[in-house]
Amino acid sequence: MTHRLFARQLAKATKADGTLDVAALGALVSAAYDEADHDRSMTDRSIRLMTEELKARHNSLIESEARLSEQNRLFDAALSHMSHGLCMFDAELRLQVCNRRYLEMFGYSPDVVKPGVSLLDIYRYGASLGHYAGDDPEDLFAAARAERPELGRILLRRRLADDRTISMTLHPLADGRWVTTYEDVTDRLRADAKIAHMAMHDALTGLANRASFTAQLDFTIERARVTGDGFTLLCMDLDRFKEINDVFGHAAGDTLLRDLARRLTRACREAYLARVGGDEFMIVAPCTQASSIAALGRRLIEAAAQDVLFEGHRLKVGLSIGSATFPTDGADATALVANADAALYRAKADGRGRIRFFEPVMDLRLREKRDLQQDLQLALERGEFALHFQPQAAIGGEIVGFEALLRWIHPVRGLVPPATFIPVAEECGLILTIGEWVLREVCREAASWPRPLTVSVNISPVQLRHGDLVGAVHAALLETGLSPGRLELELDENTWGDDFSMTLSVLCRLKALGVRVSMDDFGAGYVALSYLQSFPFDKIKIGRAFVADMDRNGQSAAIVRSIAELGRGIGLDVWAQGIEKQSQAAFMADIACTGMQGHLVGRALPIGDYADVIGRPLPVRRKAG
Ligand code: C2E
Ligand code: MG
């Protein structure tokens, strides 16, 4: 019997007053029993089936619950071990859940910061721990409340009183809750700041570097154009710094630079100081008056002049300064730097350790010098150099050797005198390549002479200090087969420099090769006479200026006489240069000079012009007609 039929029969058995007709009910029950009996087996089966299904469902529920709890456990572990702090707040900003990292990050106790606590209370707690220097927790809370979820993810950064920076991200959920994440970005920010600092500062001295200087100069020019205020750029270079590096090593150079940077910083006061190269510094100073610039220059030069102690040595450098003022000496950065540089070049040429102000004529000279440098670079490969040879005679008149003198025959400039191009080649370092070429060519030439006359080569101080002079001489002799005893190297007084031991070592090694060494142009500078004894050279060549002056000035004659005596006294050959007149030659013979050189003996000419002297057969001339 279906449930509906049973209900209908039951309704029939119900009387109008609601009581049941017992007889009808009895019949109904009995009918139902009959039917129930009939269906029992069927029902039992379905109950069994249902029970089994329920059991299956129950098991699957238990399984999924286990899975869920495992998942929860994993989530919990993941949350606890996250590098970020994490919280969830309800729409009223009450904490629902937070992870361990969050509590650790802020030093919060889990007994205080626990589900149900409001964000305001968390802020108050944080303030009591000293997190928010000066920030009122109420204000912080009001700010958090004012955040609008519809605007999406919100990023905040908070600097705590202990100098840590916490980056916070607020993620709004659809139901009004917030998930917040916290990251301690202190180390990252410090690393970023360090990288940014390194990009703009010199690692050795901590001063601003070239990139920073360029930016500062551009900014200062922009500002000056608006305000109409001028400023001055100082270009500075250390004197003799390379020697300190060469002799005492780079650690000494570094110590000196660090110390110097500190002193220059103090001396330049409110001006901006940068180290833009090895020993090059720039200053942007807010003054334009010559007197103020000169005073600043003096302070800097004095600061640089102080000795620096390094492993028992007193290191000493000087400072040369060139200055150019904006806008009179240059209306843009390029012109200003170039002109301050031109003034610096002048300061060095005038004797170093001084400040020079830019003058327009310097610009012209600088441009000429640059043009010359560019041409010089090509001169070797284009074969524009030639050698001339000037004869050297013993005091009796017999030619015993030649001095090789370099000539540059420029396709447009014509014959450029060595006095013009040698200093330029020295300054840009080209003298090293040129000097090696001269050595090789001179040795090759002299080795080909039938008569074993001597030949002397002028050596620049730059070759002695910065090149491998001993190696170059050795290679030239080996390559050409010239006997070392026929080669003489002429070094002038500038060669000796400040580095006594280095010069002495190079000279001794040269002497060990078997070549002779002479002091050229003796008396032209202020070389200490003690050098004559200390360095192992063989000969002094009296400067041309003394010889030329002898006729007019009795003092010059006396000096030449005493140089000759002095030289002889310490066993050196004494030669006179620039002998043009018979009277000069006679004087030299009188004071017992060893030999002489000058127009009287012969001019510097291509070696072909002295073919008979070197013993080379003269070319046979065919008779005309
Ligand atoms: P220096 O070594 O003193 O050379 C002598 C200079 O005096 C030469 O000038 C020569 O031509 C000139 N001279 C010689 N006798 C007389 C004379 O009787 N009267 C006059 N008025 N002058 C005379 P030059 O060739 O112009 O060389 C000038 C300087 O250039 C040389 O002076 C030397 O310091 C330098 N120089 C020349 N060739 C080389 C080179 O290959 N390497 C280096 N480093 N320097 C060189
Ligand atoms: Mg010479």
Side-chain angles (χ1 to χ4, degrees), residues 403-405 456-458 490 520-521 541 577 597:
E403 175 175 0
L405 293 159
S456 58
V457 175
N458 291 287
E490 295 191 4
D520 204 0
D521 242 354
K541 293 178 79 179
Q577 302 190 79
Q597 183 181 341

Side-chain angles (χ1 to χ4, degrees), residues 246 258 271 309 427 447:
D246 290 349
R258 269 195 295 266
L309 269 177
E427 203 184 313

Side-chain angles (χ1 to χ4, degrees), residues 387 390 403-407 417-419 421-422 426 431 434-435 438 457-461 463 490 492 520-521 541 544 577-580 597-600 602-604:
L387 287 167
Q390 182 173 35
E403 175 175 0
L405 293 159
L406 186 58
R407 299 287 175 260
F421 72 83
I422 297 275
E426 283 176 338
I431 193 69
I434 296 174
V438 171
V457 175
N458 291 287
I459 299 294
S460 150
Q463 282 172 277
E490 295 191 4
D492 68 23
D520 204 0
D521 242 354
K541 293 178 79 179
R544 188 151 50 89
Q577 302 190 79
I579 303 294
E580 295 180 348
Q597 183 181 341
H599 291 170
L600 186 69
R603 287 177 180 266

Side-chain angles (χ1 to χ4, degrees), residues 402-438:
F402 286 92
E403 175 175 0
L405 293 159
L406 186 58
R407 299 287 175 260
W408 180 17
I409 300 123
H410 187 275
V412 180
R413 299 171 195 267
L415 187 75
V416 186
T420 306
F421 72 83
I422 297 275
V424 178
E426 283 176 338
E427 203 184 313
C428 65
L430 268 175
I431 193 69
L432 298 178
T433 339
I434 296 174
E436 282 181 21
W437 179 87
V438 171

